[in-house]
Every structure is written in structure tokens, then in C-alpha cells.
Amino acid sequence: MIDPEYEQKLERELRHIHTQMLRLDARDDLAMARAYQNAEAAEERMVSYRNEHGEDALFTALRENPDQFGAYPDDKAQFDDAYQARKQLPVVFAEYRRLRDEADIIKTQLKRIRRERDEPAREDENLPRR
């Protein structure tokens, strides 16, 4: 029998991860706005790059060559801030991926628990009926 407390613990962990992912989304939006003159166009280039080359390649590109996704803001006074924001992008990306993968594992565990709880045990299927 599955411990209901364990299922509740997994649900709490999943909610906590979801909250962290929302915070990372907000951090990413802020970093993108600071890092690029046109954050929306830069994001579109990143999505296209990811679709063509994969997530690992996008992470590497963000770390090694973020300039390929867009120009710095026009205001030269913002250059240092934009440079630092570009350095944050791969960190946020990696953390988001880690949390997403962790959430996927928990979701799989919860599905298994619920399936086992809702289906009869295999031993019961082979018992003679009266």
C-alpha cells in the first residue's frame, strides 16, 4: 500500500518546484530585458536555435556566445548591466532545466502511485472467484 503522506510530500515538492520555476521565469524576463536591445527578438532567436540544435547547444551558446542572439542596448551606460545580465542567462537556463527535470520525475512518481492505488494488485487478478 502506498503511504498517503509520501504522495502528499511529492505534491508539496512539485508545488515548491513550480513556484521556483515561476521565479526563474521572472528572473529570465528581467535578464533578457537588460541584456538585449530587443528582448523579444532575442528570445525568438533562442527558441529557433534550441529547436534546431537542442537544449544543450543553446546552453553552450548562451554561455559562450550570447551576442549571436541580439544586440546590446543602445545606451552605452547600460553596457555593463547588459553584460552581467547575459552572464546570468545560462545560469537561469540551467537551473530551470534542472527543476523541470526534477518536476518530471516527481510527476512520473505521482502517476505511478495513483495508477497502483486505482488498479487492483496483480496477485488479486489470479485468485479464483467464488
Side-chain angles (χ1 to χ4, degrees), residues 10-27:
L10 290 175
E11 289 170 345
R12 281 191 307 273
E13 287 178 24
L14 193 58
R15 283 192 302 273
H16 178 71
I17 289 171
H18 180 71
T19 300
Q20 289 178 301
M21 291 172 79
L22 290 173
R23 286 185 185 134
L24 284 173
D25 275 339
R27 270 183 61 194

Side-chain angles (χ1 to χ4, degrees), residues 26-36 82 85-86 88-89 92:
R27 270 183 61 194
D28 183 64
D29 290 344
L30 289 172
M32 289 290 291
R34 290 176 30 226
Y36 294 100
R86 288 181 183 207
Q88 291 176 12
L89 290 173
V92 171

Side-chain angles (χ1 to χ4, degrees), residues 36-77:
Y36 294 100
Q37 182 177 351
N38 184 340
E40 286 181 24
E43 185 171 358
E44 287 175 15
R45 287 185 196 99
M46 289 176 195
V47 168
S48 178
Y49 190 91
R50 182 201 65 211
N51 291 343
E52 186 174 334
H53 303 285
E55 285 188 340
D56 291 335
L58 176 59
F59 172 76
T60 301
L62 285 171
R63 194 180 61 215
E64 295 176 2
N65 190 16
D67 297 353
Q68 69 182 316
F69 300 112
Y72 279 92
D74 285 333
D75 185 1
K76 297 298 178 195

